[in-house]
Amino acid sequence: MSSTAIAPPAAPAAQDRSRTRSTLPLIAPSVGVLLLWMIVPLVMTLWFSFQRYNLLNPEVGGFAGFENYEFLVTDPDFWASLTNTLVLVGSVLVITVVFGTLLAVLFDQPFPGQGIARVLAISPFFVMPTVSALVWKNLMMHPIYGVLGVLARAVGMEPVDWFAEYPMAAIIIIVSWQWLPFALLILLTAVQSLDHEQKEAARMDGAGPVAQFFFITLPHLGRAISVVVMIETIFLLTVFAEIFVTTSGGPGNATTNLAFLIYARALLQFDVGGGSAGGVVAIILANIVAFFLVRSIARRLEV
Amino acid sequence: MATLELRDIRKSYVAHEVIKGVNLDVADRDFVVFVGPSGCGKSTLLRMIAGLEEITSGELLIDGKRVNEVGPADRGLAMVFQSYALYPHMTVRQNMGFALRMAGIAKAERERKVAEAARILQLEPYLDRRPKELSGGQRQRVAIGRAIVRNPRIFLFDEPLSNLDASLRGQMRIELARLHQELDATMVYVTHDQVEAMTLASKIVVLQAGKVEQIGSPLELYHHPANLFVAGFIGSPRMNFLEARILGADGGGVRVALRSGAEIVVPAAMGGAQAGGTATLGIRPESLRPDPEGPIAGEVRLAERLGGLTLLHVTLAGGEPLVVQIEGGDRTGAREPIRLAVDGAACHIFDESGQALPALERHPLAA
Ligand SMILES: Nc1ncnc2c1ncn2[C@@H]1O[C@H](COP(=O)(O)OP(=O)(O)O)[C@@H](O)[C@H]1O
Ligand SMILES: [Mg+2]
């Protein structure tokens, strides 16, 4: 209940300005380094995106104008990768938030072995993406050796060749498995911070467990869910390792997201200019998303 | 409207017993206050009445019907929590209407009841605000409003004023008393503050370590405390306790001697006490008065001047401390010798086990 915090008295404007002046030299070094760190790659990417620059064909060079961009937006692969990116991000967000919330409420109840269960539930987050993707590919989803295949055969069903038949679903499952613990961790702390007396008041007011969840717990989790959505979105826009080690963007372009498309352009087709144009589009896309997210969440965080 | 009966109510957490058998009758329109030091089990007892804690053993009856197994929402009670427990994401209107909404009452009816409660509590201008946009006193009123709209048979309060500053606490105390009259409701109120208990209650239950020490009207507890604990807990400043020896009894009462040799006759019966036995003499600071001929002698160590009255901290000749409340205009200051007189009728004697000797006459205000 941070709502009881008392706002400090507004400082006079003059004092404010002098404070800015005197602290500027102190923060300048870190701000400078950060700016360089961001600006140099950004400017270079922008520069390359307007160049003819193909590693296989070094003779062709020079300014390309919007040629790289034209080529990009007229390429059906690009639009497919955009769709794939949105499908992947959206599905994983929905899965992790919904299951994260349910698990958080569940883990908040006392039960024997609670501590161990929590550790187990959170541990996938500490497995690096390459490893977890490989584990899923070979140990779980492989139609012959995989656990899922064995289970399917045990009940007399045809095993599913996940990466051939449902490649996007397979990627979504893997990425969700990795990010569910993060959502759970954030949401569990939020659930635990819910004032006990509020729940009791709701009980006295005649709210059953379901009504309590929807009227008390869920609104209380609003902020935490926003934080989960924001942070996950930023990372999910750039999912790469999971795709690289399982489907390599295929079959066809079924699992090629924007990050993988840029990689394919620049390092498989050696088209640095085209890859950079894709990169600039990704930056713009990420900033649009970030703008709306940060704005809506900042408003929520004020509450 | 409603009566409440507790029959040998007990509560145990795993191994240790927290409430050790409480019996209590609450009549319709009573304002019962549970008072006692922190951790004595007041909240636990109230929460058992509310249905938020299971009753380990004993019977709880509302309007004569056993409700041990009835859920908290169906007992017809409403509770005001210490932290107010307002729903932060709902407006005042939604907060107050939540229980009605859960009960499936139509919107128009809900609005009417909320408006009525808001009028009683003067919350009308704030109906569309959220709890964080309200002051502490306003939040408190919303919490009470949430209870009122349900039109409960009994109101339960758990230290509702302890989060307010002193002046607001005084104001809300008056408001609660007014509300009790206006609503004609039965109320059960928990506090550790004996001033709240004295001013609000029609009946006080003094609890200590899960046991009832005494039940009675405020002035009954003040004038006829049953034991040392109640005597020390009720009244401010605290009652003075002096070591005494029982000399004997006659028609006028029991004669005791203080350590300094001073003798006082208290109009009480011997009860279980023996002549020659040790006892404790209880004297309220307001019953002592400076008197050059008085039997009690000492030296003033400190004078706390509160303006209207002054508290003298006196050390008796035998070394025992004593607090005396005198008028603010008195000039007696620190390091001055002082002699004190006391009216025996205002004194209390407690036997070796701490039980009060029965007074010969009841105080007229403590019938
Ligand atoms: N859930 C619980 N488990 C174990 N002991 C508890 C629990 N709740 C309260 N107690 C104990 O019960 C006693 C009474 O608590 P409480 O009713 O809250 O006291 P009060 O409200 O009078 O300050 C305390 O000693 C406390 O430690
Ligand atoms: Mg308490």
Side-chain angles (χ1 to χ4, degrees), chain B residues 51-70:
Chain B
L52 296 170
E53 295 281 352
E54 229 171 274
I55 296 169
T56 308
S57 80
E59 274 202 318
L60 180 69
L61 296 97
I62 296 177
D63 284 336
K65 279 204 218 55
R66 180 184 159 100
V67 292
N68 286 38
E69 288 78 24
V70 179

Side-chain angles (χ1 to χ4, degrees), chain B residues 152-362:
Chain B
R153 292 193 281 185
I154 302 172
F155 285 86
L156 308 176
F157 297 89
D158 191 355
E159 309 216 13
L161 306 188
S162 58
N163 287 345
L164 301 178
D165 62 55
S167 74
L168 208 50
R169 203 150 51 211
Q171 229 174 321
M172 283 305 295
R173 222 163 48 211
I174 294 166
E175 198 144 328
L176 278 172
R178 174 182 70 88
L179 215 62
H180 178 235
Q181 283 177 357
E182 193 166 329
L183 297 173
D184 260 345
T186 309
M187 294 187 170
V188 181
Y189 186 103
V190 162
T191 180
H192 63 263
D193 179 354
Q194 57 96 20
V195 177
E196 269 172 42
M198 294 297 282
T199 50
L200 286 172
S202 60
K203 190 189 251 181
I204 295 182
V205 180
V206 182
L207 288 167
Q208 190 202 8
K211 280 208 292 275
V212 174
E213 293 286 347
Q214 192 175 0
I215 300 178
S217 73
L219 289 184
E220 212 175 323
L221 300 198
Y222 178 84
H223 290 295
H224 301 290
N227 53 43
L228 273 174
F229 179 80
V230 176
F233 199 82
I234 300 289
S236 169
R238 213 167 160 270
M239 188 187 279
N240 297 295
F241 295 120
L242 300 175
E243 210 179 284
R245 200 157 40 78
I246 296 178
L247 299 176
D250 55 35
V254 178
R255 176 177 293 272
V256 294
L258 296 180
R259 213 151 67 176
S260 61
E263 287 184 15
I264 293 170
V265 179
V266 181
M270 275 299 262
Q274 302 288 328
T278 59
T280 305
L281 182 71
I283 312 174
R284 295 208 182 271
E286 52 270 36
S287 338
L288 286 158
R289 58 180 191 278
D291 180 346
E293 309 295 315
I296 304 170
E299 193 195 49
V300 178
R301 270 192 309 107
L302 176 73
E304 282 185 292
R305 299 195 186 278
L306 306 179
L309 46 87
T310 296
L311 298 180
L312 297 180
H313 294 254
V314 175
T315 304
L316 296 189
E320 290 170 297
L322 190 78
V323 177
V324 184
Q325 178 179 319
I326 55 173
E327 272 187 41
D330 197 291
R331 289 175 171 278
T332 315
R335 284 188 297 283
E336 285 177 30
I338 191 170
R339 291 196 80 86
L340 298 160
V342 64
D343 179 7
C347 294
H348 307 263
I349 306 179
F350 303 93
D351 65 19
E352 281 173 311
S353 64
Q355 297 304 308
L357 301 190
L360 290 180
E361 253 176 82
R362 301 291 285 179

Side-chain angles (χ1 to χ4, degrees), chain B residues 63-137:
Chain B
D63 284 336
K65 279 204 218 55
R66 180 184 159 100
V67 292
N68 286 38
E69 288 78 24
V70 179
D74 303 321
R75 293 190 182 183
L77 314 174
M79 182 151 166
V80 176
F81 292 84
Q82 182 171 6
S83 70
Y84 315 145
L86 300 179
Y87 312 127
H89 51 277
M90 297 186 198
T91 61
V92 169
R93 191 190 303 277
Q94 290 166 330
N95 260 288
M96 298 212 290
F98 185 68
L100 304 176
R101 190 169 163 200
M102 287 295 109
I105 288 167
K107 186 151 196 242
E109 172 78 357
R110 234 155 61 200
E111 289 285 315
R112 198 184 56 71
K113 287 193 170 168
V114 169
E116 169 71 10
R119 186 191 58 75
I120 295 174
L121 295 165
Q122 290 137 33
L123 278 172
E124 281 145 324
Y126 311 107
L127 277 176
D128 291 310
R129 293 206 196 167
R130 280 169 205 259
K132 68 169 168 96
E133 296 160 332
L134 301 175
S135 70

Side-chain angles (χ1 to χ4, degrees), chain A residues 14-25:
Chain A
Q15 193 187 330
D16 230 36
R17 229 176 298 123
S18 78
R19 168 177 294 188
T20 317
R21 203 185 315 123
S22 60
T23 53
L24 200 59

